[in-house]
Amino acid sequence: MKTRHRKTLELIFSRPICGSIRWNDIEALFKALGAKIAEAEGSRICVRLFGDRRVFHRPHPTPDTDKGAVVSIKKWLEDNGVKP
């Protein structure tokens, strides 16, 4: 895993929850973990990872991921043994 991906992972697991993680960095982390990402309706994307499928909403107009999505992503990664 590249340093960039490790930093994103550390931000996801940081306390208090970070509300300024760029969505592009989270997508890059998913891809580094082996995810397949497909476009869905509107600004939604489908992420296939860990034998599971999750749908996320790309944030707009700002590129920052909201705290609720960060918590959801953190739990999903934690449940599948991914930790910083």
Side-chain angles (χ1 to χ4, degrees), residues 12-28:
I12 291 170
F13 280 83
S14 67
R15 289 278 186 190
I17 301 298
C18 183
S20 62
I21 304 171
R22 294 194 172 280
W23 180 255
N24 290 339
D25 293 340
I26 292 176
E27 275 192 50

Side-chain angles (χ1 to χ4, degrees), residues 42-61:
S43 57
R44 291 179 186 86
I45 62 164
C46 179
V47 180
R48 291 186 185 274
L49 183 63
F50 311 122
D52 193 7
R53 184 187 79 135
R54 298 286 170 107
V55 176
F56 295 99
H57 184 268
R58 276 194 184 122
H60 60 82

Side-chain angles (χ1 to χ4, degrees), residues 3 5-6 9 11-12 15 17 21 24 30-31 34 38 41 43 45 47-49 59 61 68 75 82-84:
T3 303
H5 306 309
R6 277 193 212 112
L9 192 59
L11 283 173
I12 291 170
R15 289 278 186 190
I17 301 298
I21 304 171
N24 290 339
F30 287 156
K31 288 177 184 175
E41 293 180 31
S43 57
I45 62 164
V47 180
R48 291 186 185 274
L49 183 63
K75 181 167 178 10
V82 178
K83 295 182 182 177

Side-chain angles (χ1 to χ4, degrees), residues 67-80:
K67 291 181 180 183
V70 173
V71 170
S72 175
I73 292 165
K74 176 185 173 186
K75 181 167 178 10
W76 190 34
L77 294 174
E78 222 170 22
D79 290 347
N80 288 283

